[in-house]
Amino acid sequence: MTDMDGVLVREGNIIPGADTLLSRLRDKDVPFLVLTNNSIHTPRDLRYRLQATGLDVPEDAIWTSALATAAFLNEQRPQGSAYVIGEAGLTTALHDIGYVITDRNPDYVVLGETRTYSFSSIATAMRLVERGCRFVATNPDATGPSPEGILPATGSVAAMISKATGVDPYFIGKPNPLMMRAALNRLGSHSESTVMVGDRMDTDILAGLEAGMRTVLVLSGITRESEIDRFPFRPTRVVSSVADLVDEV
């Protein structure tokens, strides 16, 4: 398993070696899955965006926090309803499991990623949670990257709603083992024979560790080498980028 942003691509550009690594995996029939906590895009959209960078990743090899959230809700309350803050990746995943998206007495408030968080939608979510709606968020990431610098992400907006209501959300995405177990099931693999490659200690590496996988931290994304010792856990390996893994496939 591999994260996407910071591992395979960075700000819309391929990270050198990523295409070769994926080609090697396909040539040797090694199953792989690209995981992302970003819930904005559908797997089809992500496939197209990755193709534009030169990476060929099938739709069924992409697992997003939106898909994991939909799978969780489908298990908990099939054919339910939700008030959703998010983009097509999340709303499509919920529609695909038969959920109704509404602001009238929904079963859940579901918070995902968007680049256009609105005050009115956040206020509506706060009121619904305050009235007793169950609160779920796709991922805990507080910030996201952009060419101009960091952007507020799901975790930051979730904190705002929690501060106002006193209710914490249940986060589905990495590092929640739920997302990793669902991904392992999708791969048909066991944790002992699976490796998690990521660029963030607090999500990717922690997720792999808690799911019982070996972990590889790449230094091509968020976490810098000097920050590793701040954490009470360590990755199995640290490499500069996925290019260092090509010859090991």
Side-chain angles (χ1 to χ4, degrees), residues 46-135:
L46 288 173
R47 172 172 167 74
Y48 179 81
R49 291 165 69 90
L50 289 170
Q51 279 182 320
T53 71
L55 291 175
D56 184 16
V57 181
E59 281 184 51
D60 60 6
I62 297 173
W63 185 245
T64 71
S65 64
L67 293 175
T69 298
F72 169 77
L73 295 181
N74 194 40
E75 289 178 358
Q76 296 292 310
R77 287 180 176 268
Q79 304 295 311
S81 60
Y83 176 71
V84 179
I85 297 177
E87 301 286 351
L90 182 55
T91 56
T92 299
L94 293 179
H95 279 145
D96 285 348
I97 62 166
Y99 255 58
V100 173
I101 295 176
T102 179
D103 61 359
R104 299 185 64 181
N105 301 314
D107 295 315
Y108 293 93
V109 167
V110 181
L111 175 65
E113 208 78 57
T114 175
R115 295 295 171 87
T116 57
Y117 287 112
S118 77
F119 183 86
S120 63
S121 62
I122 293 170
T124 298
M126 287 177 175
R127 296 180 191 118
L128 290 169
V129 171
E130 186 182 35
R131 293 173 197 159
C133 283
R134 302 159 190 86
F135 186 18

Side-chain angles (χ1 to χ4, degrees), residues 144-206:
S146 79
E148 294 78 28
I150 63 171
L151 295 170
T154 305
S156 295
V157 179
M160 189 190 313
I161 296 173
S162 295
K163 185 70 172 178
T165 62
V167 178
D168 293 327
Y170 183 58
F171 291 109
I172 304 296
K174 298 175 292 182
N176 190 334
L178 268 180
M179 181 165 177
M180 307 309 288
R181 283 199 293 270
L184 284 168
N185 290 338
R186 193 178 181 93
L187 267 182
S189 180
H190 192 279
S191 59
E192 291 181 358
S193 60
T194 307
V195 177
M196 178 65 205
V197 182
D199 70 310
R200 294 184 69 132
M201 287 288 290
D202 57 344
T203 55
D204 303 319
I205 302 307
L206 181 57

